[in-house]
Amino acid sequence: MSIRPCPGGYVPVGGRYCVPKDPTSNWVDVIASKTVTEPISFLGLEVDNRVLKDVMFTMWLFLSESTYSYWTVGIDLGGIEVRSAKVGNNFEGKSLDIEYSTPGTINPANPTWSRYFNLYIKYQIVVFGVLAYDRYTGKFTNIPITATYPLEILSTGKYTIHET
């Protein structure tokens, strides 16, 4: 079969389909939707080697009502994923200020060593039908995409965490 070029404003995804450059602008219908509350890893540090003798680090995270939420869209066709972000509304919830640091150097006990900030977040998952162009048939069709949108920061306050 011959492969047709993508129409203007569309980008190829996988070997067969083209989707709009901003998939969120071309949602056709909502297939499924649900709101989830669970811990999400916001910041992380992972060390994976056999050379490092000690570690010294500081991580900061500051979120407030002026922090924007973004739609994040993942399209998975043929092992290729396209990510798109679109500015949404401000986060609901109060501010969160975290400092995570070492008071000096620390010695990782093994070659794989990691530290993460996990925060409870309420977010929405929506499966949309998006108008896509089929490069084999030359016709438009609907394909499902999954989008996530953060709604609320459930952890608030000011925290200072020192690694010991």
Side-chain angles (χ1 to χ4, degrees):
M1 300 180 91
S2 64
I3 298 176
R4 293 169 178 81
C6 294
Y10 281 69
V11 293
V13 175
R16 181 168 186 167
Y17 295 101
C18 300
V19 296
K21 288 181 182 175
D22 178 10
T24 59
S25 67
N26 206 6
W27 293 337
V28 176
D29 58 356
V30 174
I31 297 170
S33 175
K34 80 176 181 179
T35 301
V36 179
T37 300
E38 65 182 4
I40 301 293
S41 183
F42 261 70
L43 287 176
L45 172 70
E46 183 170 315
V47 175
D48 188 10
N49 66 40
R50 303 188 194 295
V51 178
L52 195 65
K53 300 281 189 240
D54 53 41
V55 177
M56 187 168 82
F57 71 96
T58 299
M59 293 191 288
W60 287 84
L61 176 65
F62 181 74
L63 300 173
S64 71
E65 291 178 349
S66 64
T67 305
Y68 279 95
S69 295
Y70 291 85
W71 280 106
T72 303
V73 177
I75 303 170
D76 191 2
L77 296 169
I80 296 174
E81 190 173 85
V82 171
R83 290 235 171 250
S84 174
K86 181 177 181 178
V87 176
N89 296 323
N90 294 61
F91 271 111
E92 296 173 14
K94 298 179 182 174
S95 66
L96 174 68
D97 186 356
I98 298 176
E99 176 190 5
Y100 191 128
S101 65
T102 56
T105 57
I106 56 174
N107 306 105
N110 56 47
T112 302
W113 182 85
S114 60
R115 296 294 183 269
Y116 294 94
F117 282 89
N118 293 318
L119 300 175
Y120 273 92
I121 302 294
K122 182 188 290 183
Y123 63 95
Q124 188 175 17
I125 301 173
V126 183
V127 179
F128 291 98
V130 171
L131 189 62
Y133 179 74
D134 187 329
R135 292 168 42 171
Y136 292 150
T137 65
K139 297 179 182 176
F140 285 90
T141 184
N142 285 349
I143 61 171
I145 68 165
T146 302
T148 58
Y149 187 79
L151 296 171
E152 186 176 358
I153 305 164
L154 299 176
S155 304
T156 62
K158 183 175 175 111
Y159 303 91
T160 302
I161 304 164
H162 290 289
E163 184 82 27
T164 59

